Amino acid sequence: MQAIEFNATPHGGMLLIPEMYRQQWEGLSVRVILLPANEAAAPATPKPKTLLERLRTIEKIHAAPDLSENHDAYVLGQTHG
């Protein structure tokens, strides 16, 4: 099956085939599937939360009291105990 994809805006129920494809498709019977080109017009599908959205839900962090001062030492496993 040969297929092409392009974006178009219907005007009065008509869609224009881009000039580069018109001659090869002229007079052929075609199947047309309409999909909205942007997410806003598409049916709502839940988007995954961004990292910042997920971080905003954290109410309390359970960590060593000096974590902010000695973060690198904790990451490298060089905590003083």
Side-chain angles (χ1 to χ4, degrees), residues 35-36 38-47:
L35 299 170
N38 60 18
E39 294 279 330
T45 55
K47 291 184 180 179

Side-chain angles (χ1 to χ4, degrees), residues 3-4 12 18 28-29 34 37 40 46 48-49 53 55 57-58 61-62 65 75 81:
I4 60 170
L28 297 178
S29 177
L34 299 176
K49 289 185 179 181
E53 289 172 332
L55 288 174
T57 64
I58 298 173
I61 296 174
H62 302 282
V75 169

Side-chain angles (χ1 to χ4, degrees), residues 3-25:
I4 60 170
E5 180 178 331
F6 59 88
N7 291 331
T9 303
H11 294 283
M14 303 288 287
L15 292 172
L16 291 177
I17 297 174
E19 187 70 38
M20 60 196 292
Y21 301 119
R22 284 184 193 170
Q23 191 173 25
Q24 74 186 69
W25 292 91

